[in-house]
Every structure is written in C-alpha cells, then in structure tokens.
Amino acid sequence: MKRFMKVLVAIIFIVSTFAPTFQTVQADSSLYKLPTIGNAGSSSASSAAFSPNGKYLATSNSRNVLLWNTSSLSLIQEFKAATDSIQNMMFSENGEKLLISAYHRIVQVDVASATQDFEVPTLDTSSVLNATYSQNGDFIYVLKPNHLIIFNKDGTMKDSFSLTNRASNFAYNAKTDEIAISFENGEIIIRQASTGDYVRTITYGGRLADFA
C-alpha cells in the first residue's frame, strides 16, 4: 500500500511539473468581422470588380454600377451603365475603363466621367459568357456559347470565330497572349488571342484548368 502511494505521488508530481498549462482565451470577435461597404440597392449585387490599384470597388445592381472607395468604404457615385442586366465587370489595366457584360451586349464605361464609351451587341442574343481586355488594352475578347469575338478598343468588331462545340468559359494568358476556351464536352482549346488561330487542344475533366 505504501509503495502504491509513493508511485501515485510520483506520478502526480511529474504531471503537475511537466504538463503544459492551459488557459481559456476569449477571442476578439471584432477581428473576424469583415467591413460592410454599403447597401447595393433594392436588388442584390450581381457582379463586383476591384480596380488594379485596389483603391476602388465596382458593384452592379441590375443595370446600375456603384463605385466605392475601398479606404473610406464610402460610395463615390452610382450611375446607369447598361440597358440590360449586368452579369460581369472588369477594370482596364490602368483603371480608367470598366468593361461590362450585360446579357448579349458589352459596355465600356469611362470611370472618371461615369459615361458610356460604347454599348454594342455581340452577334446574336445569346448571353455573353465572359469578356476581358488584352494585356495592352487594344482589344476586347468576348466569349459566347458558339462564338469567340474580338473587338477593337473603340467597340468596333475586329473578327469573330465560330465554335464547333458549345463553350462554357475562357481564360486569358497575358504572358503568351493566348486564350483557353473550355467546352461542355470536356475539351479545352488554346487559341492565339489577337488572331484567333488554333494552337492546341487539351482534354480535361470538363473544367477549365489553371491556365493563367
């Protein structure tokens, strides 16, 4: 019995001496709260885009664009940007222009003046899947389910290419000036962006691989 008590005392001593000490810490919940920029309006925000310098955030509310200051979290201006509901937006590399996909149209807005540079239809009434600027901003690439369309920076159409299969999305690689188009059948076709020339085909599991 005495030996058992000695062993027990020894175990208690070792545990109390070398075991780590734990204490409950109350987390500061404010550290995990994201700032609220503002109300997007009566409709839900359908798209958002940061300017390249991170100073501005553009959000869309149906046909309107709301431009926010990301430092002060204040609304700079709200303006009507398109005649159709806005689906996607992106800033130009210098942040001066905002490219908008609105149903079957593309719209370019001058950010400083909040005015349209152009609003043009894109061949047919199917929705624009995606749109992006070229690296130097000279061209606008537009993807539709059955077409890849290249516009000049003034909104005039430069060229268009019919797609054999139905497209689902695309990605632009500015380093190689190539566009990877993913199709609903699982194929990915790489084209030279500025000319539309075929480069190669990749068979992938139906989704666009990391191309950029």
Side-chain angles (χ1 to χ4, degrees), residues 8-149:
L8 182 60
V9 170
I11 292 173
I12 293 173
F13 173 78
I14 292 171
V15 171
S16 61
T17 302
F18 297 102
T21 302
F22 297 96
Q23 68 180 69
T24 302
V25 178
Q26 182 66 38
D28 183 359
S29 60
S30 65
L31 297 177
Y32 305 97
K33 290 181 180 179
L34 295 175
T36 300
I37 292 181
N39 192 324
S42 58
S43 302
S44 59
S46 58
S47 181
F50 280 103
S51 61
N53 60 13
K55 292 182 178 180
Y56 305 108
L57 172 68
T59 61
S60 63
N61 170 14
S62 185
R63 298 171 177 82
N64 291 356
V65 167
L66 292 79
L67 189 65
W68 307 88
N69 184 306
T70 56
S71 297
S72 63
L73 307 183
S74 59
L75 179 65
I76 300 172
Q77 58 184 340
E78 178 180 1
F79 54 90
K80 183 177 180 180
T83 56
D84 289 311
S85 296
I86 296 170
Q87 297 163 296
N88 297 294
M89 299 185 295
M90 75 168 294
F91 281 90
S92 60
E93 189 64 29
N94 59 15
E96 296 177 357
K97 305 294 183 180
L98 187 65
L99 178 63
I100 298 168
S101 303
Y103 186 41
H104 68 286
R105 301 170 182 270
I106 58 167
V107 182
Q108 181 173 277
V109 171
D110 181 79
V111 176
S113 63
T115 57
Q116 279 189 4
D117 290 332
F118 58 78
E119 178 173 355
V120 294
T122 53
L123 287 182
D124 56 45
T125 57
S126 62
S127 294
V128 172
L129 298 175
N130 208 340
T132 187
Y133 287 106
S134 63
Q135 184 182 24
N136 57 15
D138 286 343
F139 303 113
I140 297 169
Y141 306 121
V142 176
L143 182 68
K144 305 194 75 173
N146 299 112
H147 292 92
L148 172 65
I149 312 167

